[in-house]
Amino acid sequence: MVTTIILINTSRTKINRVAETLAGLEPVSEVYSVSGNYDLVAIVRVTDNDKLASFVTDEMSQIDGITGTHSMLAFNAFSRHDLDSMFSIGM
């Protein structure tokens, strides 16, 4: 599984429309509106890099209102849930 965090800039008047469109696409598990240098953050999960490339270049590029993106591939996942479960079994 390839998990990618995509930081997205949009046209100011299209933030909600872009978020709703992204949230409706198969590989997108979550979309957040955020403060700071970006308007939205999308969490994308695909089975391989080819599917990620296809999603970004074929599907995302067709969404009206996206003005720029910055993608980050996740290497490892660490969560409070994972840490709590490790300590609960005596590790």
Side-chain angles (χ1 to χ4, degrees):
M1 179 67 63
V2 177
T3 300
T4 307
I5 297 95
I6 304 178
L7 309 173
I8 304 163
N9 289 116
T10 68
S11 303
R12 288 187 185 262
T13 60
K14 297 184 179 181
I15 295 172
N16 289 341
R17 188 175 318 139
V18 170
E20 290 169 2
T21 301
L22 284 167
L25 298 177
E26 180 64 32
V28 178
S29 63
E30 302 155 71
V31 179
Y32 299 96
S33 59
V34 296
S35 63
N37 294 328
Y38 296 92
D39 301 308
L40 300 170
V41 174
I43 309 299
V44 176
R45 293 186 172 91
V46 292
T47 55
D48 57 56
N49 288 336
D50 288 336
K51 285 191 172 66
L52 177 61
S54 176
F55 173 72
V56 170
T57 59
D58 297 337
E59 293 185 62
M60 280 190 68
S61 66
Q62 300 301 311
I63 298 173
D64 181 46
I66 293 178
T67 60
T69 63
H70 183 89
S71 299
M72 300 180 292
L73 282 118
F75 295 130
N76 291 306
F78 302 91
S79 72
R80 181 176 213 60
H81 179 268
D82 295 336
L83 294 173
D84 288 344
S85 66
M86 276 196 316
F87 288 111
S88 71
I89 59 171
M91 290 186 78

